[in-house]
Amino acid sequence: EVQLVESGGGLVQAGGSLRLSCAASGFTFDDYTIGWFRPAPGKEREGVSCSSSSDGSTYYADSVKGRFTISSDNAKNTVYLKMNSLKPEDTAVYYCAADLACTYRGRYWGQGTQVTVSS
């Protein structure tokens, strides 16, 4: 069974930090990229960040660049998103998704984890 399970969301004050985790199972982890997404006005989702474990490439949306860091632990089939200097605008449900490339829309999706940033 393919599963992506997010955790680590919560309520924090502006300027605080959280670390989200995405634990994957049921597919060959090393063959897939893992991305983080959140809903955005006017579109289904905004790609926040993505990681390719095969070559270590990482990508970030301009809105989070310099504040968020994506990392992976291949042995644990887990991808993390460290979020620093959080802003109220970061409030959203964050989803992780797996696909063959970071430019794809996601073949497998997790259930989401809520991040709320208070001012």
Side-chain angles (χ1 to χ4, degrees):
E1 179 184 358
V2 173
Q3 283 193 308
L4 296 171
V5 180
E6 301 99 330
S7 61
L11 173 64
V12 298
Q13 296 183 64
S17 63
L18 288 170
R19 189 180 74 160
L20 307 184
S21 299
C22 176
S25 62
F27 60 93
T28 304
F29 184 81
D30 292 348
D31 290 341
Y32 283 78
T33 62
I34 303 292
W36 289 94
F37 299 85
R38 64 189 184 190
K43 56 183 178 180
E44 290 186 29
R45 75 192 76 81
E46 174 187 28
V48 177
S49 185
C50 188
S51 174
S52 174
S53 61
S54 62
D55 62 8
S57 299
T58 59
Y59 305 90
Y60 299 93
D62 288 343
S63 59
V64 307
K65 200 170 297 181
R67 299 188 296 119
F68 292 9
T69 303
I70 192 168
S71 61
S72 61
D73 185 338
N74 288 8
K76 297 176 65 176
N77 288 358
T78 299
V79 172
Y80 306 95
L81 185 67
K82 184 66 169 66
M83 305 185 295
N84 294 325
S85 302
L86 283 162
K87 305 174 180 179
E89 305 94 272
D90 296 318
T91 295
V93 178
Y94 285 72
Y95 300 87
C96 67
D99 215 321
L100 296 176
C102 284
T103 53
Y104 293 178
R105 292 182 177 271
R107 182 174 298 183
Y108 310 119
W109 289 82
Q111 84 289 349
T113 185
Q114 176 71 50
V115 172
T116 303
V117 185
S118 62
S119 59

